[in-house]
Amino acid sequence: MNKLTTIFSSMPLVAVLLLTLMVTVSADAQNVRKGLIGHWSFDEDTINGNRVEDLAGNNDATINGASIKSVKGKFGEALEFGNKNGHFVDTGLQITSRQYEDLTMMAWAKPYKRHVAWGSVMNGDDGGWDRGYGYRHDRWEVQVGKGGDWQPGPRADFNVWQHTVVIYTPDVVIFYKDGQRFEFDDAVPTVSNNTLIIGDDIPCGPVCTFPGAIDEVLLYGRELNDNEVRQNFRSRGGQAVEAASKLAVTWGSIKRAR
């Protein structure tokens, strides 16, 4: 009998299961923490009435609109957005270049159908097509603050969960779909007074809601590199503790993969 077998045989079953889980869940299975401003998982246990807990800090969001409902997500639960303008999740955060010169926006998104116009995943727009992204008809697009001169990206797949990322820097705008990188021109510095909205673009009007489900929204006040984006793409929705010396992880934020 080897040492590992001896250790396991002398432990209670619950302890064995926890130890096994800790060994199995590698650091690569957790989301990147550095620079994380907000993390809204949309799990049912993080929603109390119209309040959505921010797992990264103190930026709890607010659900606005009765048509939004909880559905099966990429991990655990997600929020489903309908076709009613003004039904959205408001994070209360300003995301302009004045607040964050570099910004990373990230979410799992599942559009249900071809959009007749523009389906916004998230944005901080006041009508100038500021910072934000979604899909037009069947293509992912990024707002770059140029009065509608958006950057068309890869095809949006319907009824399929896709890991979507937009990174704004002073020099370039970067989009990722399922870990694949697409580079575009730079964006005009934004001055929008609106906060980050998920699932709708209010100034755009009633044809700009997101007809689908959104899960695991993360916001970083910096540019993530390729490896960090792909680490989050491969993750299972969990958050590691910040102290590298700690073995434990935040179990409440690790969600069961669907």
Side-chain angles (χ1 to χ4, degrees):
M1 181 178 293
N2 60 38
K3 289 183 179 180
L4 186 60
T5 303
T6 302
I7 292 172
F8 272 81
S9 63
S10 63
M11 295 172 64
L13 178 58
V14 173
V16 171
L17 291 174
L18 286 174
L19 181 59
T20 302
L21 183 57
M22 281 191 254
V23 172
T24 302
V25 178
S26 67
D28 191 51
Q30 307 302 319
N31 287 322
V32 173
R33 292 285 294 175
K34 182 181 178 182
L36 186 60
I37 303 166
H39 177 188
W40 303 275
S41 70
F42 295 154
D43 276 350
E44 286 184 340
D45 60 1
T46 68
I47 299 175
N48 183 11
N50 68 341
R51 186 180 67 85
V52 182
E53 181 183 356
D54 171 21
L55 298 177
N58 300 314
N59 299 307
D60 289 352
T62 303
I63 296 175
N64 185 84
S67 69
I68 299 172
K69 63 181 181 180
S70 180
V71 295
K72 180 180 177 181
K74 173 65 179 179
F75 305 100
E77 292 77 45
L79 287 184
E80 181 180 85
F81 298 80
N83 295 312
K84 293 185 178 180
N85 184 237
H87 292 222
F88 54 84
V89 173
D90 186 354
T91 68
L93 285 171
Q94 294 281 345
I95 61 166
T96 70
S97 55
R98 184 177 299 167
Q99 280 77 28
Y100 303 102
E101 186 176 51
D102 299 311
L103 183 77
T104 299
M105 310 166 73
M106 184 177 302
W108 284 93
K110 185 180 182 180
Y112 290 165
K113 59 184 179 181
R114 181 183 175 90
H115 205 292
V116 296
W118 163 248
S120 178
V121 174
M122 65 178 103
N123 67 85
D125 183 27
D126 65 357
W129 313 120
D130 305 297
R131 286 179 164 179
Y133 75 100
Y135 76 104
R136 184 184 302 278
H137 305 309
D138 62 352
R139 290 279 174 183
W140 292 109
E141 289 197 2
V142 182
Q143 295 174 331
V144 292
K146 297 181 179 180
D149 184 17
W150 298 1
Q151 305 284 358
R155 185 175 299 278
D157 302 317
F158 303 135
N159 294 302
V160 176
W161 283 108
Q162 294 142 88
H163 190 250
T164 57
V165 183
V166 174
I167 298 176
Y168 291 94
T169 78
D171 303 313
V172 67
V173 178
I174 308 165
F175 182 83
Y176 293 83
K177 175 189 172 185
D178 294 340
Q180 184 178 2
R181 176 178 173 133
F182 302 83
E183 279 195 21
F184 304 113
D185 296 334
D186 63 350
V188 171
T190 59
V191 293
S192 171
N193 292 319
N194 282 355
T195 54
L196 176 65
I197 298 295
I198 302 168
D200 199 357
D201 189 337
I202 307 304
C204 184
V207 294
C208 297
T209 57
F210 184 82
I214 299 173
D215 198 6
E216 289 290 335
V217 175
L218 294 105
L219 188 69
Y220 295 84
R222 68 179 182 90
E223 175 187 357
L224 269 64
N225 60 41
D226 288 352
N227 289 336
E228 290 173 318
V229 169
R230 287 163 188 155
Q231 176 178 326
N232 280 19
F233 169 52
R234 293 191 298 266
S235 81
R236 293 190 287 274
Q239 292 187 73
V241 292
E242 295 198 37
S245 60
K246 295 182 181 179
L247 177 62
V249 294
T250 307
W251 301 110
S253 68
I254 297 178
K255 305 200 292 180
R256 185 177 71 256
R258 299 293 185 178

